[in-house]
Amino acid sequence: MKIEIKTLIEKVTLEFEDEEYFRKIHSEITEALLDDLNIKGVFYEKDGSGLMLPALLLKNSIISIQKKADSSPLFS
């Protein structure tokens, strides 16, 4: 499972092995996208390092979700 976030400058890929963590991050992304004040964000952590994705970055990105490793994106 993975979520790809494409901005004008870069592409960030969030990879998941745990279904529960995938759902948590997906929910946080949805919440940040719906935030009118743009104060929410998503903190993704893997292998001891973290990445903060603020609401405005997410709103100005193309987000693709792949539920299975060998499938095409669910949404683009």
Side-chain angles (χ1 to χ4, degrees), residues 1-32:
M1 296 172 284
K2 63 182 174 179
I3 298 174
E4 291 182 347
I5 301 167
K6 298 175 189 173
T7 68
L8 291 173
I9 301 170
E10 67 180 319
K11 179 174 96 171
V12 176
T13 302
L14 311 178
E15 296 186 18
F16 306 88
E17 295 179 14
D18 181 17
E19 176 85 22
E20 185 176 327
Y21 189 52
F22 172 81
R23 291 186 183 276
K24 177 186 178 291
I25 296 296
H26 183 273
S27 176
E28 289 178 9
I29 289 172
T30 302
E31 189 175 327

Side-chain angles (χ1 to χ4, degrees), residues 2 22 26 63-68 71-76:
K2 63 182 174 179
F22 172 81
H26 183 273
I63 301 172
S64 300
I65 299 170
Q66 291 183 348
K67 187 83 166 158
K68 295 183 181 177
S71 68
S72 60
L74 296 175
F75 304 103
S76 286

